[in-house]
């Protein structure tokens, strides 16, 4: 834990728990799919953390955080409490990192949490016909455009994975991205931006 030694015990606990808690929070934002969805998403979360913990990164700090997250698997159950605080905890973690590590490490932390959230959201198709029609329409148009340009480049289209991300998960991923950038729902309302709720 050479890179994490510069953090207090409380800060280390926050940084190490967030990769798991973030994935669990994204999963909990959509109640469609029942226990089958929950099971697939938890499996995806565990596999993602395991693969990421074994990966190599430009940021040694991120590698260390992910390795510790995986090594502390016995704590995962307790980390599942108070998931509503995850966006605020992400903001707090980014502020802690900004004061102690390079901007490259901060950006790597943001990207890895977003990637974990995305992997969990993709794990199970909770397609909901009750989603707003404009959301379903824009998703279908986006997929058609992706297929068209992919075919022109000779690439296989993977936009079908987008169907696995439900409306609620998409909102959660957007909220996560805002939190990791240091924004809040309140700040976007002040700026006059439209936020789907």
């Amino acid at each position: 834990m050479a890179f994490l030694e510069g953090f207090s015990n409380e800060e280390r606990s926050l940084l190490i728990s967030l990769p798991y808690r973030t994935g669990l929070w994204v999963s909990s934002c959509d109640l469609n799919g029942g226990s089958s969805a929950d099971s697939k998403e938890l499996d995806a979360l565990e596999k993602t953390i395991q693969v990421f913990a074994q990966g190599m990164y430009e940021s040694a700090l991120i590698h260390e955080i992910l390795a510790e997250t995986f090594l502390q698997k016995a704590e995962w159950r307790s980390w599942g409490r108070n998931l509503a605080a995850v966006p605020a905890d992400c903001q707090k973690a980014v502020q802690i990192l900004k004061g102690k590590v390079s901007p490259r490490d901060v950006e790597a932390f943001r990207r890895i949490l977003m990637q974990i959230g995305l992997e969990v959201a993709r794990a199970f198709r909770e397609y909901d016909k009750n989603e707003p029609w404009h959301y379903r329409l824009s998703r279908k148009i986006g997929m058609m455009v992706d297929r068209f340009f992919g075919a022109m480049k000779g690439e296989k289209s993977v936009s079908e994975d987008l169907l696995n991300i439900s409306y609620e998960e998409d909102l959660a991923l957007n909220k996560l991205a805002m939190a990791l950038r240091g924004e809040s729902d309140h700040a976007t309302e002040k700026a006059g931006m439209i936020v789907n709720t």
Side-chain angles (χ1 to χ4, degrees):
M1 286 201 327
F3 293 97
L4 287 169
E5 287 177 3
F7 297 91
S8 71
N9 288 338
E10 182 182 333
E11 291 169 339
R12 270 196 304 270
S13 294
L14 177 65
L15 295 171
I16 291 168
S17 68
L18 270 176
Y20 179 77
R21 292 180 65 229
T22 297
L24 198 58
W25 176 73
V26 169
S27 176
S28 73
C29 287
D30 188 343
L31 302 176
N32 293 319
S35 62
S36 178
D38 293 343
S39 177
K40 284 191 179 197
E41 289 171 348
L42 285 176
D43 287 347
L45 177 56
E46 181 175 347
K47 287 176 187 169
T48 299
I49 289 174
Q50 182 177 8
V51 167
F52 285 0
Q54 296 169 354
M56 296 301 290
Y57 303 93
E58 288 181 34
S59 169
L61 173 68
I62 298 309
H63 176 74
E64 194 170 304
I65 288 171
L66 291 167
E68 284 297 317
T69 301
F70 185 70
L71 289 173
Q72 294 188 29
K73 189 175 176 182
E75 302 297 321
W76 288 6
R77 176 174 237 113
S78 66
W79 290 349
R81 296 185 197 116
N82 194 19
L83 291 177
V86 166
D89 286 346
C90 286
Q91 281 184 317
K92 182 179 177 182
V94 167
Q95 290 306 312
I96 290 168
L97 289 172
K98 280 183 177 179
K100 296 188 178 192
V101 299
S102 72
R104 182 188 68 159
D105 288 332
V106 174
E107 187 56 33
F109 183 75
R110 287 177 173 140
R111 279 195 317 265
I112 206 70
L113 291 185
M114 283 304 302
Q115 187 63 39
I116 289 169
L118 190 58
E119 293 297 324
V120 169
R122 288 178 178 164
F124 185 82
R125 184 173 292 190
E126 293 139 323
Y127 183 71
D128 185 4
K129 294 184 188 225
N130 295 324
E131 292 175 341
W133 66 269
H134 61 276
Y135 184 78
R136 286 182 282 154
L137 178 65
S138 66
R139 186 173 3 192
K140 286 184 182 188
I141 290 171
M143 287 175 47
M144 288 188 299
V145 169
D146 185 47
R147 281 188 194 135
F148 174 75
F149 286 112
M152 290 181 67
K153 293 179 182 179
E155 298 173 351
K156 182 183 174 202
S157 174
V158 294
S159 61
E160 293 275 330
D161 286 348
L162 294 175
L163 288 177
N164 288 16
I165 301 174
S166 70
Y167 180 67
E168 289 80 10
E169 289 167 336
D170 189 39
L171 291 176
L173 290 170
N174 283 318
K175 189 171 186 175
L176 176 61
M178 288 171 52
L180 290 169
R181 287 191 310 261
E183 301 171 9
S184 65
D185 288 336
H186 183 66
T188 57
E189 287 169 14
K190 275 188 166 181
M193 299 172 110
I194 298 172
V195 178
N196 292 331
T197 55

